[in-house]
Amino acid sequence: MSARPRGAGGSLPAQEPAAALPDSPPKTRHPVSLAVFFGLVGFVPANWLVRVPDVKAQVGASAGDLGLALLCGSLGSLAALTVAARLCERFGTRRVLVVAGFALCAILVLPGLAGSVRALGAALAVFGVAQSTFNIALNSTAVEVATASGNPLMPTLHGIFSVGGLVGAALGGLLADHLSPVVHLGLTALLGLAVTAVAGPALLRSGRATTAAAAAAAAASGTPDAASDSDRAHAWRRVRWVVLAFGLVAACTAFGEYASNNWAALHLRQDLAATAAVAGYGYATYACAIAGGRFLGSRLIRRLGETAVLSGGFALAAVGVLVASWAGRLPGGGLPVAFAGYVVLGLGLANVYPVCISRAGALGGPRGVSRISMSASVGILSQGPLIGFVADRRGLPLALSTVAVLAVLAAGVAFALRGWTRPRTAAPTTTAAAPPSSATPPTSAPTTSATSTERSKP
């Protein structure tokens, strides 16, 4: 990893025109259409997930067959990551977002139409490609909007994603008892297409306004209004190792999140003798803690800075997972202590991935966002086999404690990356005093948030 960026020459972001945007106040600081799309990407897949058992029976799949079909979806998602980044660089993030949104909603009905395991695998592979492309474009657009506004919007937007997933799962569970999979998924697809048709044009209009502001700012400063492919490649080479380090942090986060997603209910039932309903409440408590923590994330970042949110969040997560995992053996422990541990774990992990993807996007554009998604996929895919292997030999509490080990490691990496994260937001008076020196700010550049230095001010 290169030395920390200090001053103007410390780093070269992959999308330098975006750095000039804060000089011209954006027309909207937090477009409603972008928030709608974050809710949509949580809502739509959640409706599919609650119908997995029904579709499994529909195609006559065994557990192994279903696993292979789901693997096809994961492989489709992984295959699309790099291609999606290139599409965003070529055509613009907002255009790719709207097109992928239509595709994602339209393709949702395909698993419900599947009549065989092979057809289901093919449908999930196509669905994975659309979902991955949509996610890369969505997060890349959010990075651009956050950079232009100077506000850390990503945690709030990911909180909306979490709420969308919870609403989709709840509504899908209600409809599952009354509708066949194809009818349920078809109605969800129609709703998603309608939402995309309404929100898409508004997002495209805001993108054109932002592009016009960027071009005007570039013309006023005498800089090119677009980066060439060679410029982007050169910029990427200078920051790729930093993005890789943020990817390591994201992988540890994904490992912890999905370990809790997949194993929390089993741990509560097996080690703490909880009923099925109580175990479900335990997972719901953890999921709500993540959602609530994300809605507080922007305020925490402005008050404490991203390094404190990352390192402090991992410290909380390590304590929370240890308490939850060993609650049955702690003095006075039991289900209430385990629930409290999962709340602390959720609050600790809530804002880590949004910060990582925001930093990677500011440094490397859509390519940086795709690398974080790849790293997170490694964490997701590795947690199941590793925790299962350790649990078979040493028990589930010790297996889940691996999350704490990775959290401590990630906290150290996050602290080492403190030169590449947003510091605590300066007092409002600092912003007001900036205009006298804003004619040519080559070194301090407080508005150039894309450089992500300790001296920059978001």
Side-chain angles (χ1 to χ4, degrees):
M1 189 187 309
S2 59
R4 290 182 211 152
R6 298 295 181 188
S11 69
L12 180 62
Q15 292 182 315
E16 287 204 285
L21 295 180
D23 294 333
S24 303
K27 293 189 180 294
T28 57
R29 308 190 81 185
H30 191 171
V32 173
S33 54
L34 185 61
V36 168
F37 278 121
F38 266 92
L40 187 68
V41 78
F43 179 84
V44 169
N47 278 271
W48 147 244
L49 291 176
V50 300
R51 301 313 302 255
V52 168
D54 300 311
V55 174
K56 174 180 178 294
Q58 174 180 302
V59 300
S62 65
D65 292 336
L66 178 62
L68 290 175
L70 294 174
L71 178 62
C72 290
S74 298
L75 293 177
S77 296
L78 287 173
L81 289 176
T82 302
V83 176
R86 298 300 176 93
L87 289 175
C88 289
E89 291 177 347
R90 178 71 174 83
F91 299 105
T93 58
R94 288 169 174 81
R95 291 179 182 176
V96 176
L97 169 59
V98 173
V99 172
F102 279 115
L104 176 68
C105 296
I107 292 169
L108 176 66
V109 73
L110 293 182
L113 294 171
S116 66
V117 174
R118 290 186 178 181
L120 178 60
L124 292 181
V126 176
F127 185 78
V129 170
Q131 185 177 11
S132 187
T133 303
F134 186 80
N135 283 334
I136 296 299
L138 180 63
N139 281 290
S140 299
T141 301
V143 169
E144 293 174 1
V145 172
T147 300
S149 67
N151 288 327
L153 302 175
M154 197 67 81
T156 301
L157 293 172
H158 278 253
I160 294 171
F161 158 77
S162 298
V163 171
L166 291 172
V167 172
L171 181 60
L174 291 175
L175 295 178
D177 291 334
H178 305 284
L179 300 175
S180 66
V182 66
V183 174
H184 174 196
L185 297 179
L187 290 175
T188 304
L190 290 175
L191 176 61
L193 290 171
V195 170
T196 304
V198 172
L203 191 66
L204 292 173
R205 285 194 298 270
S206 69
R208 286 191 290 268
T210 301
T211 301
S221 62
T223 58
D225 61 351
S228 65
D229 291 340
S230 61
D231 291 336
R232 283 194 291 265
H234 177 67
W236 173 249
R237 285 193 295 270
R238 297 187 64 176
V239 300
R240 59 184 175 182
W241 294 110
V242 181
V243 173
L244 181 62
F246 277 112
L248 176 60
V249 175
C252 293
T253 307
F255 185 99
E257 284 193 34
Y258 277 78
S260 301
N261 290 349
N262 296 335
W263 300 91
L266 178 62
H267 165 59
L268 292 174
R269 294 189 66 179
Q270 175 180 296
D271 299 313
L272 294 170
T275 64
V278 171
Y281 296 149
Y283 170 73
T285 300
Y286 160 75
C288 290
I290 285 186
R294 285 176 171 170
F295 283 112
L296 295 173
S298 297
R299 183 178 301 176
L300 290 174
I301 290 171
R302 284 192 292 266
R303 183 177 295 272
L304 303 175
E306 287 180 340
T307 297
V309 170
L310 289 174
S311 296
F314 277 121
L316 279 178
V319 173
V321 75
L322 289 175
V323 170
S325 300
W326 298 96
R329 306 184 190 183
L330 295 174
L335 284 173
V337 174
F339 274 48
Y342 278 119
V343 169
V344 173
L345 173 63
L347 291 175
L349 293 179
N351 296 299
V352 176
Y353 186 75
V355 169
C356 287
I357 206 165
S358 177
R359 289 299 89 210
L363 288 166
R367 198 176 307 190
V369 171
S370 73
R371 297 307 187 271
I372 294 296
S373 298
M374 289 180 184
S375 300
S377 297
V378 172
I380 294 170
L381 294 175
S382 63
Q383 56 80 28
L386 178 59
I387 290 180
F389 178 83
V390 177
D392 283 343
R393 287 155 179 79
R394 300 293 181 181
L396 200 49
L398 183 62
L400 293 175
S401 298
T402 57
V403 174
V405 175
L406 291 180
V408 172
L409 169 65
V413 175
F415 184 76
L417 288 168
R418 63 191 181 279
W420 297 88
T421 55
R422 289 176 185 261
R424 180 175 61 86
T425 302
T429 54
T430 303
T431 304
S437 59
S438 62
T440 55
T443 55
S444 59
T447 58
T448 313
S449 59
T451 58
S452 310
T453 68
E454 281 291 327
R455 293 182 180 177
S456 67
K457 303 297 181 186

